[in-house]
Amino acid sequence: MEELVFWVEDTACSGIKKITDKVAGDVELVTGVRPRVLCGVAQEEFLSMAEEVETVIVPATIGKSRMLEQMERKELICLEEIRGKRECYGWFFQKNPKKDGSQILLIAGSDKRGTIYGLFHLSELLGVSPFVDWCGIKPPHRDRAGLCPSMACVTKEPSVRYRGFFINDEWPAFGTWCNRRFGGFGAEVYEHIFELLLRLKGNYLWPAMWSARFGDDGPGLANAMLADEYGIIMGMSHHEPCLRQGEEYKYLRGKDSVYGDAWNFRTNREGILRFWKDGLLRRGKFENVITVGMRGEADTAILGEKATLEENIELLRDVLKTQNGLIRECVNPDLERVPRMLALYKEVEEFYYGNDEVQGLIGSEELEDVILLLCDDNYGNLRTLPTEEMRAHKGGYGMYYHLDYHGWPVSYEWMNSSYLPKIWEQMTTAYEFGVRELWIVNVGDIATQEFPLSYFLDMAYDFERWGSSAVNQTMEYTRQWTARQFGGFPGEIREQIADILQGYTRIIQKRRPEAMHPMVYHPVHGGETQDTLDEIGRILTETEAVYAWVQETAPEYVSPFVALVYYPAFGTLNLTKMHLLAGMNQYLAKLGALCANDYGDAAEQCLRRDRELVKAYHEMDGGRWYGMGLSEHIGFVHWNEDECQNPVICRVLPADKPRLVVTVDHTMQHVEGSPWLSNWMEVRDFLNPSCHSAGITIYGMSMCGAAYEITEKPEWLSVSAMRGMVDGSTHNRERLELTVDRKKAAQCREKETDTVVQGVLQIKTPAGSCRIRVLVCVGLPVDTAGIFVDTAGYIAIEAEHYAKKEAGWLMQKKGKRKRETVQFCCIRDYGKTKSAMKVFPATAYCVPGKNAPYLEYHFSVRQRGRYTLTLYMQPSNPVANDQKLCYGVQNNDGKIIIYNAIPEGYRIGDQGEFWAEGVLSQIRRQELAISCDQGINRLRIYAMTPGFVLEKLSIYQEGTDIPESYLGPKETYRT
């Protein structure tokens, strides 16, 4: 008996027939047997043929299926749960009336896309990856499909109405790939893109636009017709109105053109109107979300710098009125039935809100039922969001988010550098603020963005599962995503892949590859460079091990594993490693340490590896991805690739006599030992009572052997080697590990109350000797648990290590208390070091001292006085148009002081230097003055406005210097 047959009614649309054929191909990939797909066969004839089939699958759409109507009339199925809803489907199993033991599976869609998603649900259950076509992932083999009534289901409406991605910044990568593999941007390539979008349960697309013309490249309307066939809702980018692309005007304009020769609504009004009208007449018959509004050519401001805000607003108002009239005339006289979108991108946001003197477009009748597309700042941080009053806007709101960006301060287009916890934190905020009508994400070239793209679209489709309630579930998502792509791999291999995905994105989100250069991370302070190199080394080793396993055990998965995991993970980490090594090379070269050359050689090897990776990626699988690795990614000097520089490597020439330099690890202290210069250094590591070992590293400066010897040390200090020799070749450095016996050290106190003991370690060198003062904490001024104690000259606290957390509550407009609580929650593995604390619900506004939640930290200092409190926060933007991101600080029982994390004159974008530093370094620091008492102090941080995300705090006496570092000071001692 045949296991599966698909029967497609003759009333079904052609897109359903095409998707059915694709799903039949999926079944063949899984079972090795391709089920028949019957089209144009009458129902009675079909039922007779189906007697020899175990399961007959009938994809059907309400309103387009006689079988659904018949079964509903006979009360065999109930479709009320999906009737009239968006993109829902139900799986209904029925016994075959012609044959006992066989069954009919009705995949009933509320509309065309609902039926398509219902068909692809079968592929998902069979273990077929959404990237089966895009990346060529073969699903694990199963002998049978094994469909049974327990699989019956009815889905809910997708959380966001329009969900999709934007192919952008497509040169040199995507464009080269398209031309080489498909001969251009026509229907042949969009066939694959549409399939990918639907398999990811998306429905909306902005096509490539740098040099492409979606409406012409099909050839002709073939792209648009194919999109309509598959149920893809097309849009145009934020600056391409009325279904016309910028490239179209570029090709059609001219001195004698009917469209004129100026993209200017004032001087060439008739030409622009004709251009828009023709676009609407040509493509308005398909399903679209029509972009309205107008920007300047090449995505620039519409009017010059000298134009006033009022002039810009009036021009845009005129444009919107005119476009609405054209849409009524050319598409549908009932504007409410035509989805339209205005992108509040860059300066358009200002035109929408206006200012104290000029009324903006907010509340305009021209925008009454238009989707207002809000935006992030191009670096993954949301800009303004709708207030509670604004959420009543009839057209609803959308969000334009970026996984790729071409622009200032530094472009990032080469490889995925987005981190799921950040996407979760930002997009849950958007949804909670009512941004639920449209989500579009810029994926650049698509390739290597598959992982975050999946997450973005899964959140948009099922926010209930992956949204606000899924706190700290991104690693679980990563595991599930890995299982969907590599379901046939053993569990331990899948766990390693999930660790690689989480690990590499965790590192590179701290600094995107294009924004890296050798001195971003400090070469020695806090050990941050070495710690990062160690973590990179661990992930690279794991990546190579899994790659070797795939090559040997599952060679058919090599291509998709490289595309989805190996190339983005190894490529980005190798680049970060190169810059870290170059930084060490430059630092050690200044000391004259010959091992600087080793770091330089290793950095050069990384550069060679980078080129090898791109070459191998392009040649893999018959050139499947040729072109996708071409984006520049090393050493950006400007926002674009102009004057990009590979790291500068220093070469140290050896001294002509025995020389060495002694350094204290994690500091910039260094001494050769000459009596003519200061030869004193300090080891302060043991001031932290939890520190058990510290290090001194001795570097060779010549090819001659340079001897050292410990000639003096305290009895409570142990050194791993009392003497030795370094040179410039075989043994050009040696690390001496220091350990202390705190009980013995405590016996050396001059006073019983002393909390610090010091001793001298003397090292004889060829130039003389160096003397190192070793400081050891042998007692604390406090004995209360959970107190951060200033033993090292400053205190650093990870935000999640609070002593107390107090919830607040929401207040109604009249000041009455609501039942819903407001509280800080920890977002694990978020930010630059450990985690972050954020208030939920994300929409909450609170008043410190009344209804605001707070975090309380306990710390002890040695002296009363003025201290500097530094808060390390996410570089969030204000959610309202008031430029406020406020929080409250209270030290001990003092007054609560309100601070704004946003400086006066804050600018996002081309002129926002403060903003630029925040998004490049992925942190915003604010220094505040506080007064501390001697002994234990209590510090409270109150949440006030949405967007406040706290990662770390540091506290130090005014005038104290904390060693400079990129990641900030490491957390200090807590009792």
Side-chain angles (χ1 to χ4, degrees):
M1 181 180 269
E2 201 172 349
E3 186 186 7
L4 294 181
V5 164
F6 290 88
W7 177 55
V8 184
E9 295 172 276
D10 56 6
T11 53
C13 68
S14 60
I16 300 296
K17 295 174 183 177
K18 281 190 172 184
I19 296 299
T20 301
D21 200 57
K22 291 180 185 296
V23 173
D26 292 346
V27 175
E28 182 180 17
L29 283 174
V30 173
T31 65
V33 178
R34 186 180 186 89
R36 287 183 292 157
V37 178
L38 304 176
C39 298
V41 177
Q43 184 171 325
E44 285 303 315
E45 181 184 355
F46 152 69
L47 289 174
S48 298
M49 294 172 58
E51 294 180 18
E52 299 303 318
V53 179
E54 290 183 22
T55 303
V56 177
I57 302 174
V58 183
T61 305
I62 293 177
K64 301 277 187 182
S65 167
R66 289 190 297 270
M67 177 170 272
L68 285 184
E69 292 172 2
Q70 292 170 8
M71 289 197 160
E72 195 168 29
R73 276 199 308 270
K74 295 177 181 178
E75 298 184 350
L76 296 174
I77 59 174
C78 178
L79 300 174
E80 289 309 306
E81 285 188 74
I82 63 173
R83 190 185 307 279
K85 293 185 178 179
R86 291 182 290 108
E87 302 175 354
C88 297
Y89 64 87
W91 270 31
F92 303 98
F93 286 85
Q94 299 288 320
K95 291 182 179 179
N96 189 341
K98 295 284 187 178
K99 175 74 173 179
D100 289 338
S102 65
Q103 63 184 354
I104 296 173
L105 167 58
L106 271 167
I107 300 177
S110 63
D111 51 28
K112 175 166 52 175
R113 281 184 294 276
T115 307
I116 289 172
Y117 296 151
L119 278 163
F120 278 138
H121 180 60
L122 172 58
S123 300
E124 293 173 9
L125 290 178
L126 292 176
V128 178
S129 163
F131 302 103
V132 59
D133 171 70
W134 181 253
C135 292
I137 300 181
K138 294 179 173 60
H141 177 78
R142 292 168 56 167
D143 292 333
R144 300 173 54 77
L147 300 180
C148 59
S150 64
M151 295 176 177
C153 63
V154 175
T155 63
K156 63 181 182 62
E157 285 187 315
S159 304
V160 177
R161 181 182 295 270
Y162 303 110
R163 313 168 305 281
F165 57 81
F166 176 22
I167 304 168
N168 193 22
D169 312 328
E170 65 266 23
W171 286 98
F174 184 86
T176 300
W177 177 77
C178 274
N179 284 335
R180 183 183 176 97
R181 191 166 176 206
F182 302 102
F185 296 88
E188 190 177 350
V189 67
Y190 278 106
E191 172 83 30
H192 298 281
I193 291 168
F194 294 155
E195 178 179 339
L196 173 63
L197 180 60
L198 290 170
R199 285 183 183 271
L200 292 172
K201 293 190 175 67
N203 62 6
Y204 178 59
L205 184 75
W206 291 359
M209 46 72 71
W210 269 21
S211 65
R213 291 170 289 158
F214 183 82
D216 295 331
D217 291 336
L221 283 178
N223 285 339
M225 293 170 67
L226 182 65
D228 188 65
E229 186 176 29
Y230 277 141
I232 302 296
I233 304 163
M234 291 304 301
M236 290 292 139
S237 74
H238 53 281
H239 65 101
E240 296 181 310
C242 294
L243 304 177
R244 300 306 297 257
Q245 290 190 280
E247 281 296 299
E248 292 182 77
Y249 192 72
K250 174 183 172 182
Y251 279 87
L252 294 172
R253 69 187 299 173
K255 181 181 176 182
D256 300 319
S257 170
V258 294
Y259 303 125
D261 197 23
W263 184 255
N264 189 308
F265 194 66
R266 290 280 184 255
T267 64
N268 185 31
R269 185 184 184 96
E270 292 306 313
I272 298 300
L273 287 180
R274 185 183 291 252
F275 179 70
W276 287 341
K277 183 176 181 178
D278 287 353
L280 293 168
L281 288 171
R282 191 164 174 240
R283 291 181 51 204
K285 58 188 175 183
F286 303 121
E287 196 173 3
N288 304 286
V289 175
I290 300 174
T291 300
V292 294
M294 188 178 188
R295 293 195 81 210
E297 288 188 275
D299 197 14
T300 58
I302 189 170
L303 292 179
E305 293 181 2
K306 294 182 179 179
T308 66
L309 177 62
E310 186 173 16
E311 289 171 333
N312 276 290
I313 292 171
E314 287 310 308
L315 174 61
L316 193 51
R317 194 187 306 276
D318 188 13
V319 166
L320 292 168
K321 282 183 180 179
T322 304
Q323 290 172 341
N324 283 340
L326 288 174
I327 293 168
R328 284 193 187 95
E329 177 187 350
C330 303
V331 181
N332 194 319
D334 185 357
L335 271 182
E336 290 188 16
R337 299 178 64 84
V338 183
R340 287 158 294 139
M341 175 274 291
L342 172 69
L344 306 184
Y345 186 69
K346 293 190 175 180
E347 80 284 345
V348 182
E349 182 181 81
E350 186 180 12
F351 304 161
Y352 179 72
Y353 287 107
N355 59 27
D356 294 338
E357 289 78 35
V358 180
Q359 174 65 37
L361 292 168
I362 187 169
S364 299
E365 62 177 329
E366 294 84 8
L367 295 174
E368 183 179 3
D369 48 9
V370 172
I371 299 169
L372 299 175
L373 185 69
L374 307 170
C375 310
D376 69 356
D377 61 3
N378 303 314
Y379 269 77
N381 306 287
L382 306 183
R383 295 168 70 110
T384 55
L385 292 169
T387 63
E388 189 171 356
E389 183 180 3
M390 289 169 60
R391 284 169 223 162
H393 173 66
K394 187 176 177 181
Y397 292 88
M399 179 56 63
Y400 173 33
Y401 199 75
H402 287 74
L403 303 178
D404 163 285
Y405 180 58
H406 180 78
W408 192 83
V410 173
S411 301
Y412 57 98
E413 304 170 60
W414 172 49
M415 204 107 65
N416 168 43
S417 55
S418 298
Y419 188 49
L420 297 197
K422 178 62 176 275
I423 298 173
W424 176 86
E425 185 263 318
Q426 291 290 302
M427 293 310 297
T428 54
T429 301
Y431 193 87
E432 287 188 29
F433 269 87
V435 181
R436 305 179 181 185
E437 195 69 12
L438 187 158
W439 283 16
I440 186 84
V441 64
N442 186 333
V443 293
D445 308 307
I446 305 177
T448 79
Q449 301 287 0
E450 293 90 348
F451 176 44
L453 172 62
S454 299
Y455 184 65
F456 182 90
L457 290 179
D458 279 339
M459 278 186 70
Y461 182 79
D462 191 358
F463 191 83
E464 192 173 289
R465 171 65 185 91
W466 296 113
S468 299
S469 62
V471 182
N472 295 319
Q473 288 292 299
T474 52
M475 188 59 192
E476 176 58 29
Y477 179 89
T478 303
R479 292 189 181 98
Q480 292 188 23
W481 188 85
T482 300
R484 289 180 71 186
Q485 319 317 321
F486 307 107
F489 288 12
E492 63 272 19
I493 297 295
R494 294 204 306 268
E495 190 64 28
Q496 284 182 287
I497 293 173
D499 180 65
I500 292 165
L501 291 169
Q502 199 271 348
Y504 96 82
T505 53
R506 174 102 171 97
I507 289 175
I508 62 172
Q509 65 91 27
K510 300 175 186 182
R511 189 80 174 193
R512 295 185 188 274
E514 292 87 344
M516 270 295 289
H517 56 79
M519 284 301 175
V520 168
Y521 286 72
H522 197 280
V524 290
H525 283 167
E528 62 180 20
T529 286
Q530 190 57 53
D531 289 348
T532 306
L533 283 171
D534 290 345
E535 179 63 5
I536 288 174
R538 183 191 69 80
I539 298 171
L540 289 179
T541 299
E542 189 172 36
T543 305
E544 289 282 31
V546 175
Y547 184 39
W549 181 90
V550 173
Q551 287 179 305
E552 182 177 349
T553 311
E556 68 275 18
Y557 284 93
V558 166
S559 176
F561 176 75
V562 169
L564 295 176
V565 182
Y566 182 83
Y567 178 58
F570 207 102
T572 54
L573 292 185
N574 176 72
L575 183 146
T576 302
K577 177 182 176 181
M578 176 185 69
H579 286 296
L580 293 171
L581 291 169
M584 288 297 294
N585 162 263
Q586 294 174 19
Y587 172 73
L588 290 170
K590 290 180 180 179
L591 301 184
L594 284 170
C595 72
N597 298 337
D598 298 341
Y599 284 97
D601 293 343
E604 288 186 40
Q605 176 58 35
C606 288
L607 182 61
R608 288 193 293 271
R609 189 78 178 97
D610 178 85
R611 293 165 178 164
E612 292 166 359
L613 283 167
V614 173
K615 184 174 183 290
Y617 179 59
H618 282 167
E619 294 175 349
M620 181 186 69
D621 200 6
R624 183 187 191 98
W625 300 112
Y626 185 88
M628 287 294 197
L630 290 178
S631 295
E632 184 57 72
H633 49 275
I634 297 176
F636 277 57
V637 176
H638 306 290
W639 68 266
N640 59 357
E641 64 185 64
D642 292 352
E643 302 178 20
C644 277
Q645 295 179 356
N646 290 331
V648 173
I649 300 301
C650 299
R651 183 63 55 184
V652 178
L653 302 178
D656 57 2
K657 63 181 180 180
R659 284 178 63 187
L660 56 77
V661 60
V662 183
T663 67
V664 175
D665 289 1
H666 303 165
T667 77
M668 296 180 71
Q669 300 176 83
H670 58 278
V671 166
E672 286 192 50
S674 166
W676 307 110
L677 298 173
S678 172
N679 57 10
W680 279 96
M681 297 188 290
E682 275 190 349
V683 172
R684 301 179 60 85
D685 303 59
F686 297 118
L687 289 175
N688 183 339
S690 62
C691 176
H692 301 293
S693 69
I696 291 170
T697 302
I698 302 174
Y699 296 99
M701 303 173 71
S702 76
M703 302 305 289
C704 309
Y708 68 87
E709 181 180 1
I710 308 296
T711 57
E712 179 186 343
K713 74 174 186 63
E715 61 177 345
W716 41 260
L717 180 70
S718 298
V719 186
S720 57
M722 295 297 289
R723 61 183 57 82
M725 184 174 293
V726 292
D727 56 34
S729 55
T730 59
H731 189 63
N732 57 22
R733 80 198 86 171
E734 182 161 345
R735 183 178 185 273
L736 305 183
E737 185 174 8
L738 311 182
T739 55
V740 297
D741 184 329
R742 292 184 189 274
K743 289 184 178 179
K744 283 186 178 180
Q747 294 171 4
C748 299
R749 288 186 288 195
E750 294 182 7
K751 299 177 184 177
E752 193 66 29
T753 55
D754 286 348
T755 58
V756 175
V757 169
Q758 61 177 288
V760 174
L761 175 69
Q762 182 165 292
I763 305 177
K764 183 181 179 182
T765 71
S769 65
C770 71
R771 297 172 65 79
I772 303 171
R773 188 178 295 107
V774 182
L775 306 176
V776 182
C777 179
V778 294
L780 293 172
V782 294
D783 58 5
T784 306
I787 304 293
F788 283 88
V789 183
D790 181 6
T791 64
Y794 63 91
I795 293 170
I797 307 172
E798 293 289 346
E800 72 167 74
H801 291 155
Y802 51 84
K804 180 182 177 182
K805 180 177 73 167
E806 189 69 28
W809 62 88
L810 291 179
M811 294 179 69
Q812 295 175 340
K813 289 184 178 179
K814 295 182 180 180
K816 294 182 179 180
R817 176 171 176 168
K818 287 185 178 180
R819 290 184 178 180
E820 187 174 4
T821 59
V822 180
Q823 59 184 332
F824 278 99
C825 293
C826 179
I827 309 175
R828 295 195 298 266
D829 296 322
Y830 185 92
K832 292 183 72 171
T833 49
K834 184 175 180 62
S835 58
M837 300 298 295
K838 181 181 177 177
V839 163
F840 293 92
T843 54
Y845 284 85
C846 299
V847 179
K850 291 185 178 180
N851 71 321
Y854 65 79
L855 301 169
E856 184 171 293
Y857 299 91
H858 296 169
F859 63 96
S860 174
V861 295
R862 295 178 179 273
Q863 295 179 341
R864 176 185 178 88
R866 298 279 291 175
Y867 282 75
T868 299
L869 166 66
T870 303
L871 299 188
Y872 294 77
M873 300 166 283
Q874 265 293 298
S876 307
N877 299 306
V879 299
N881 198 40
D882 57 6
Q883 296 302 309
K884 290 183 179 179
L885 204 169
C886 296
Y887 58 92
V889 175
Q890 181 184 29
N891 198 34
N892 298 321
D893 295 319
K895 180 182 177 182
I896 300 174
I897 303 176
I898 307 305
Y899 294 96
N900 186 1
I902 303 301
E904 189 174 348
Y906 179 71
R907 294 291 299 274
I908 298 173
D910 294 349
Q911 298 179 34
E913 292 291 346
F914 178 83
W915 166 82
E917 176 55 33
V919 298
L920 290 179
S921 296
Q922 292 285 19
I923 205 72
R924 178 178 292 134
R925 302 193 319 170
Q926 189 164 26
E927 295 183 350
L928 317 171
I930 59 173
S931 296
C932 295
D933 296 330
Q934 183 180 7
I936 297 175
N937 290 259
R938 186 184 70 245
L939 177 73
R940 288 181 179 176
I941 308 294
Y942 293 86
M944 288 184 63
T945 54
F948 177 66
V949 184
L950 181 63
E951 295 185 21
K952 184 188 291 189
L953 311 82
S954 68
I955 302 160
Y956 52 94
Q957 198 162 19
E958 286 187 351
T960 303
D961 290 327
I962 293 184
E964 174 194 355
S965 62
Y966 180 65
L967 300 179
K970 285 187 175 181
E971 189 170 55
T972 52
Y973 179 69
R974 177 172 55 160
T975 57

